[in-house]
């Protein structure tokens, strides 16, 4: 039998040495005021502020400062929702879809890359047909930018003479021209807007899209188009999606909100979308799990429709060729 020779393990020692400290200034006093350094705070200073809540522009879902996003598939009314929000702020309204507005300047910049000035003019005048919405009160505090050439120069010039509460970017994909799947490039692009938000103490709200293959899935921040870098940089991510049964209803879903209770991120806020392309809150909420189009939503719609027409549960079951307990479960859910 051949013997196996075990080789002795060699132990290699590595030694690291730190560079010698610079002693050339030894004996020279340096007066450094740490408290005056930008972005440097002591724990005592932060504690003494007694901050009990995050300042919000749209309370409690949208903060006053930072970058956030509203996402959704095409033709859901995302731009209409953001225009309505912008106009509500500049009109000095106290409420938007049931949420308090905490505006300081009552001023908004709206960057529109899809609708030009003619389309925006039409949409604003269309909104005037709604009795609850008087656009005659509008002033110069809502500015639309429809040409993105020289955008940063325009923004800097406007912000040098005007303080704003909100900057809407409609949409992100029209301004960002690099790879959507490169997190580093996405975050680098967003960092510039994030700095803008904090320098001018305002909110930047991006309109974005969800992936085609995720439109019918349960609402989730992972459904957004592109890399995880976009979602990760946002303080809040909202989604607007159509109702599975009623074409006039929309669901506003809070997909991400680090400072919000979980109850806000489990159920949608059901909105009514009228013929004048304006939204109103129905006071109803729906669990995210019920917004998944892979469930048998068509059957549920048929059951509810027949029930509203006065059919009894037994009659509905017979008409749809299902069991009465199934009808009862849908109507009681």
């Amino acid at each position: 039998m051949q013997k196996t020779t075990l080789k002795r393990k060699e132990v290699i020692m590595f030694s690291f040495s730190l560079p010698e400290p610079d002693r050339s200034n030894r004996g020279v006093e340096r007066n450094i005021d740490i408290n005056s350094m930008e972005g440097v705070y002591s724990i005592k200073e932060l504690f003494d502020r007694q901050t009990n809540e995050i300042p919000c522009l749209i309370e409690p879902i949208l903060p006053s400062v930072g970058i956030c996003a509203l996402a959704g598939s095409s033709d859901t009314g995302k731009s209409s929702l953001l225009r309505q929000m912008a106009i509500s702020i500049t009109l000095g309204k106290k409420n938007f879809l049931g949420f308090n507005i905490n505006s300081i300047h009552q001023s908004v910049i709206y960057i529109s890359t899809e609708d030009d000035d003619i389309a925006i003019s039409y949409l604003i005048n269309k909104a005037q047909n709604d009795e609850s919405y008087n656009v005659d009160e509008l002033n110069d505090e809502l500015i639309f930018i429809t040409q993105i050439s020289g955008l940063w120069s325009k923004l800097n010039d406007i912000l040098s003479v005007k303080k704003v509460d909100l900057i809407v970017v409609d949409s992100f994909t029209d301004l960002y021209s690099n790879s959507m799947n490169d997190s580093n490039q996405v975050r680098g692009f967003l960092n510039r807007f994030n700095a803008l938000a904090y320098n001018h103490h305002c909110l930047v709200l991006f309109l974005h899209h969800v992936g085609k293959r995720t439109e019918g899935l349960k609402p989730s921040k992972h459904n957004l188009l592109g890399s995880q870098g976009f979602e990760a940089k946002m303080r809040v991510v909202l989604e607007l999606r159509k109702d599975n049964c009623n074409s006039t209803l929309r669901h506003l879903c809070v997909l991400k909100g680090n400072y919000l209770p979980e109850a806000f991120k489990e159920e949608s806020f059901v909105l009514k979308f009228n013929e004048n392309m304006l939204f109103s809150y129905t006071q109803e909420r729906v669990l995210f799990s019920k917004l998944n189009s892979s469930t048998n939503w068509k059957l549920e719609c048929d059951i509810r429709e027949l029930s509203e027409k006065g059919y009894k549960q037994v009659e509905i079951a017979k008409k749809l060729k299902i069991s009465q307990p199934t009808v009862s479960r849908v109507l009681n859910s």
Side-chain angles (χ1 to χ4, degrees):
M1 179 180 298
Q2 184 177 2
K3 292 184 179 181
T4 302
T5 304
L6 296 177
K7 293 184 179 179
R8 180 171 58 88
K9 292 183 178 179
E10 296 182 0
V11 179
I12 303 175
M13 302 294 291
F14 292 92
S15 63
F16 298 92
S17 61
L18 294 173
E20 287 292 325
D22 183 5
R23 305 182 190 278
S24 60
N25 291 326
R26 177 172 287 186
V28 179
E29 292 187 3
R30 301 179 64 194
N31 295 321
I32 300 176
D33 184 4
I34 296 177
N35 294 327
S36 67
M37 294 181 180
E38 184 178 0
V40 178
Y41 310 97
S42 70
I43 187 173
K44 184 178 186 307
E45 178 186 353
L46 296 176
F47 179 78
D48 288 345
R49 292 182 183 180
Q50 296 294 306
T51 303
N52 297 315
E53 58 185 18
I54 301 296
C56 289
L57 175 59
I58 307 296
E59 187 179 356
I61 59 172
L62 290 176
S64 298
V65 179
I67 57 176
C68 300
L70 170 68
S73 58
S74 300
D75 198 32
T76 56
K78 300 184 297 300
S79 294
S80 296
L81 183 70
L82 293 180
R83 271 194 309 273
Q84 184 176 342
M85 179 190 299
I87 294 174
S88 297
I89 291 171
T90 56
L91 285 179
K93 290 183 176 292
K94 301 299 182 183
N95 186 279
F96 175 69
L97 303 179
F99 303 106
N100 290 334
I101 298 176
N102 298 319
S103 172
I104 298 175
H105 311 293
Q106 297 180 13
S107 184
V108 177
I109 297 174
Y110 196 114
I111 303 168
S112 177
T113 62
E114 296 183 354
D115 293 319
D116 60 14
D117 54 320
I118 297 175
I120 295 172
S121 175
Y122 165 76
L123 293 167
I124 291 175
N125 281 277
K126 185 177 178 63
Q128 197 174 20
N129 296 326
D130 195 290
E131 294 180 358
S132 65
Y133 205 71
N134 185 8
V135 295
D136 288 335
E137 301 173 15
L138 289 177
N139 47 43
D140 294 331
E141 295 304 319
L142 174 52
I143 296 174
F144 288 91
I145 299 176
T146 59
Q147 295 291 331
I148 60 175
S149 59
L151 177 61
W152 283 102
S153 177
K154 293 174 184 176
L155 285 176
N156 288 327
D157 287 346
I158 295 171
L159 293 171
S160 68
V161 296
K162 179 186 289 290
K163 293 184 180 296
V164 302
D165 299 292
L166 173 66
I167 299 174
V168 175
V169 180
D170 179 2
S171 65
F172 169 74
T173 52
D174 285 339
L175 292 188
Y176 178 75
S177 57
N178 294 325
S179 171
M180 288 293 297
N181 296 316
D182 190 319
S183 292
N184 290 332
Q185 289 187 350
V186 170
R187 291 177 67 90
F189 177 85
L190 294 174
N191 280 338
R192 192 173 185 182
F193 279 96
N194 194 49
L196 181 76
Y198 280 92
N199 288 339
H200 293 279
H201 202 78
C202 64
L203 175 67
V204 177
L205 183 53
F206 290 91
L207 184 150
H208 196 37
H209 299 87
V210 297
K212 288 289 184 182
R213 290 178 293 181
T214 64
E215 290 178 359
L217 300 179
K218 176 182 175 181
S220 169
K221 61 184 181 182
H222 304 299
N223 295 342
L224 270 62
L225 186 67
S227 73
Q228 189 263 347
F230 181 89
E231 170 268 312
K233 193 66 179 176
M234 299 295 140
R235 295 188 66 186
V236 173
V237 177
L238 308 174
E239 181 186 349
L240 186 68
R241 64 165 57 191
K242 291 182 178 180
D243 185 79
N244 288 328
C245 301
N246 190 332
S247 62
T248 67
L249 296 181
R250 301 291 187 270
H251 296 270
L252 183 63
C253 308
V254 180
L255 307 183
K256 175 184 177 181
N258 295 339
Y259 310 111
L260 290 173
E262 286 302 313
F264 277 85
K265 295 175 278 188
E266 295 173 347
E267 295 179 317
S268 72
F269 296 88
V270 184
L271 309 178
K272 181 79 172 179
F273 192 37
N274 68 19
E275 64 277 6
N276 295 320
M277 304 184 76
L278 292 174
F279 291 87
S280 58
Y281 181 36
T282 65
Q283 305 297 321
E284 296 181 5
R285 301 192 65 186
V286 174
L287 287 168
F288 285 179
S289 58
K290 293 188 176 182
L291 302 179
N292 188 343
S293 62
S294 63
T295 59
N296 197 352
W297 59 266
K298 180 63 170 62
L299 177 61
E300 293 187 8
C301 290
D302 291 340
I303 291 174
R304 297 184 188 280
E305 183 179 353
L306 290 173
S307 178
E308 291 173 358
K309 290 180 178 179
Y311 285 81
K312 296 180 180 180
Q313 291 189 11
V314 175
E315 295 172 330
I316 296 173
K318 184 177 180 180
K319 189 174 184 66
L320 298 178
K321 298 180 181 180
I322 56 177
S323 66
Q324 187 273 329
T326 298
V327 177
S328 178
R329 175 182 57 76
V330 171
L331 295 178
N332 292 323
S333 62

